[in-house]
Amino acid sequence: MNAIIDKLVVDRPEDGLFKVHRDVFTSPEIFDLEMTHIFERTWVFLAFEGQVARPNDYIASWIGRQPVLVTRDKAGTLHGFLNSCRHKGARLTTRECGNSRLFVCPYHSWSYAPDGKLKSVKDKSTGHLPPQFDGEDYDLAPLARLESYRGLIFGSLSADVPPLADYLGGARALIDLVMDQGANGMELVPGRTVYTYGANWKMQVENGMDPYHLTSAHQSFMQIVTQRNARASDLSKIRSRDFSRSVGAEAGALQFSHGHGAVWITNMTPEQKPLYDDIEALVARVGAHRAQWMLNFRNLVLFPNVQLADSESLILRVIRPIDVNTTEMRMFSLAPIGEPAESRALRIRQHEDFFNVSGLATPDDTAIYEEMQAGLAATGAGYQRGYDRGATLLGDGADAAAAGAGIAADASLTGPFKLQSEMQYQPIYREWKRLMAPAFEGVAA
Ligand code: FES
Ligand SMILES: [Fe+2]
């Protein structure tokens, strides 16, 4: 029995109890342990393959607090390295992405090829170096593992991780429902937003699949859409979701191994989505049932740092923890390659309307995260609660809805929208507990 970890995450389904201690969101010491025991020990999302599509493309990313570089060499092979010069450690690029045949260190100009090989040491011939110098390895330090699934590139600093496909497990079917939307594949719409919020990274992990907050935190969005439609204003052409139609919908929650979770809601107004604009071709290609699931609202969280949300629009959202109460977000709009210009324009308008940092919803959420972090300073309250909402409906494996969509969930439930399950958060904290347990081994409570 590991006393501290069992107090931090209380997971006793036999007693109908699941709760997470507030220290998990507020303790700088626990944050440091999360970086070493979670981010540096498991698969972490790094980049979308389209961002490094051509030879010599690169993108700078992070595994927890460690800077990494994902490159494609001239032969087309993907690589992942620590973004740190072997001389004195400077980052080899401070740019977020680009195309370069050579990484020249800004400090003393040691240079590296995109395959990580050291190409030159400035003024080596005049350096009076000992003969042993050439016997050492100065190539960029590679990540222990680098793999991709359907365009999503993940890296790990530890070799002791399962193959990526196994790590993603049943959640792969939900990735497929995104990546199969385009007959010619999917791409990131050019541009991205980067923003920070002053709260813990797990606020975003939970919120990325939180149906319970929609009718509370986003009331203004709901009212604005209703009023636009009533007045047939120009902005009603954005075709944003009328939440009042969602209230009667069917919804579900899914639990997967390794910390992943998802929620879905039947889309009562599928015609609002740009994907619906060419529905006949979509149905002909993927079948009516999968097409319907592509049009449903589905939010997937892949532990620990990436989300595919397909709701008001389709986004890829990456979480970068900075410190215990600072988190940096990167958000991209995902789209079928070659979709008609009007559909693309509609997609961008919908993205701006809801998800963009200047939109009507993301500021609601980030302001709430900061309110939570402020409220969590009240340490006497002990635990975060509510992780049992939906518990009596949850069943092992995939229920009829999940199985019908080909989703091999570990556990699942289906109910009316108003159920607003919180079951999908349990895998986050089970995986958190599994990875963090060694940090508390032998430490008395
Ligand atoms: S730190 Fe890179 S060349 Fe000196
Ligand atoms: Fe939200």
Side-chain angles (χ1 to χ4, degrees), residues 172-378:
R172 280 177 298 168
L174 286 156
I175 300 174
D176 296 344
L177 282 171
V178 170
M179 298 308 170
D180 288 338
Q181 288 181 20
N184 304 306
M186 301 295 285
E187 66 184 357
L188 299 181
V189 175
R192 88 284 181 265
T193 45
V194 181
Y195 57 98
T196 55
Y197 64 79
N200 191 262
W201 62 281
K202 295 182 294 298
M203 309 304 189
Q204 180 64 52
V205 178
E206 285 199 18
N207 177 272
M209 47 181 172
D210 182 340
Y212 196 28
H213 80 294
L214 294 175
T215 52
S216 305
H218 300 309
Q219 263 186 33
S220 56
F221 176 78
M222 295 161 67
Q223 286 163 3
I224 286 166
V225 171
T226 303
Q227 284 176 30
R228 280 178 191 164
N229 294 345
R231 291 180 198 157
S233 87
D234 258 10
L235 290 171
S236 65
K237 292 185 189 134
I238 299 173
R239 298 181 356 209
S240 286
R241 170 163 38 152
D242 181 346
F243 273 90
S244 62
R245 301 280 302 276
S246 279
V247 171
E250 193 175 47
L254 303 159
Q255 295 186 347
F256 300 101
S257 304
H258 301 297
H260 317 313
V263 289
W264 57 269
I265 304 171
T266 303
N267 190 349
M268 310 291 272
T269 52
E271 64 281 359
Q272 56 114 200
K273 287 201 164 191
L275 193 63
Y276 191 88
D277 292 349
D278 203 2
I279 185 68
E280 288 84 13
L282 183 69
V283 168
R285 184 166 56 82
V286 304
H289 193 65
R290 287 195 87 218
Q292 190 206 320
W293 270 87
M294 287 177 183
L295 290 160
N296 283 345
F297 304 107
R298 305 170 321 283
N299 281 21
L300 169 68
V301 175
L302 300 170
F303 186 83
N305 76 324
V306 65
Q307 309 185 326
L308 283 168
D310 195 352
S311 51
E312 311 336 291
S313 69
L314 173 57
I315 58 162
L316 174 75
R317 198 161 38 188
V318 189
I319 301 168
R320 180 188 168 207
I322 305 286
D323 61 37
V324 68
N325 51 22
T326 313
T327 305
E328 184 183 82
M329 299 297 308
R330 267 181 177 63
M331 183 162 53
F332 303 85
S333 172
L334 257 173
I337 293 171
E339 76 178 331
E342 308 80 61
S343 308
R344 178 62 61 94
L346 176 63
R347 179 179 300 277
I348 294 169
R349 297 291 88 77
Q350 289 185 347
H351 180 90
E352 292 164 345
D353 204 32
F354 190 83
F355 279 123
N356 207 42
V357 283
S358 58
L360 294 167
T362 289
D364 294 337
D365 293 318
T366 49
I368 290 283
Y369 307 158
E370 293 179 357
E371 278 307 312
M372 289 167 73
Q373 202 73 27
L376 291 177

Side-chain angles (χ1 to χ4, degrees), residues 84-92 104-112:
S84 179
C85 179
R86 297 302 299 272
H87 183 223
K88 296 286 194 283
R91 283 192 295 172
L92 292 161
V104 180
C105 180
Y107 199 3
H108 315 91
S109 300
W110 283 26
S111 65
Y112 302 85

Side-chain angles (χ1 to χ4, degrees), residues 33-237:
L33 293 170
E34 288 178 333
M35 294 304 102
T36 51
H37 287 266
I38 297 176
F39 280 81
E40 295 175 15
R41 293 263 168 87
T42 194
W43 286 109
V44 171
F45 175 81
L46 299 180
F48 187 68
E49 277 202 28
Q51 294 177 291
V52 279
R54 299 168 302 159
N56 302 325
D57 277 353
Y58 69 87
I59 181 159
S61 189
W62 292 267
I63 293 183
R65 290 184 290 206
Q66 302 208 20
V68 304
L69 203 51
V70 177
T71 64
R72 192 179 290 279
D73 67 24
K74 64 179 184 211
T77 305
L78 275 178
H79 299 271
F81 304 107
L82 298 180
N83 184 4
S84 179
C85 179
R86 297 302 299 272
H87 183 223
K88 296 286 194 283
R91 283 192 295 172
L92 292 161
T93 173
T94 49
R95 293 189 56 188
E96 197 167 308
C97 57
N99 184 279
S100 176
R101 280 178 302 156
L102 202 62
F103 294 98
V104 180
C105 180
Y107 199 3
H108 315 91
S109 300
W110 283 26
S111 65
Y112 302 85
D115 65 1
K117 294 267 182 285
L118 178 74
K119 294 301 275 188
S120 73
V121 170
K122 186 182 74 177
D123 296 337
K124 185 178 164 195
S125 62
T126 54
H128 292 274
L129 293 159
Q132 292 88 342
F133 182 87
D134 282 334
E136 295 286 309
D137 176 12
Y138 304 105
D139 295 342
L140 294 181
L143 305 183
R145 300 283 290 276
L146 187 82
E147 287 184 32
S148 57
Y149 179 76
R150 302 301 310 269
L152 304 176
I153 304 172
F154 292 76
S156 170
L157 293 180
S158 165
D160 186 21
V161 286
L164 180 64
D166 295 350
Y167 176 75
L168 297 171
R172 280 177 298 168
L174 286 156
I175 300 174
D176 296 344
L177 282 171
V178 170
M179 298 308 170
D180 288 338
Q181 288 181 20
N184 304 306
M186 301 295 285
E187 66 184 357
L188 299 181
V189 175
R192 88 284 181 265
T193 45
V194 181
Y195 57 98
T196 55
Y197 64 79
N200 191 262
W201 62 281
K202 295 182 294 298
M203 309 304 189
Q204 180 64 52
V205 178
E206 285 199 18
N207 177 272
M209 47 181 172
D210 182 340
Y212 196 28
H213 80 294
L214 294 175
T215 52
S216 305
H218 300 309
Q219 263 186 33
S220 56
F221 176 78
M222 295 161 67
Q223 286 163 3
I224 286 166
V225 171
T226 303
Q227 284 176 30
R228 280 178 191 164
N229 294 345
R231 291 180 198 157
S233 87
D234 258 10
L235 290 171
S236 65
K237 292 185 189 134

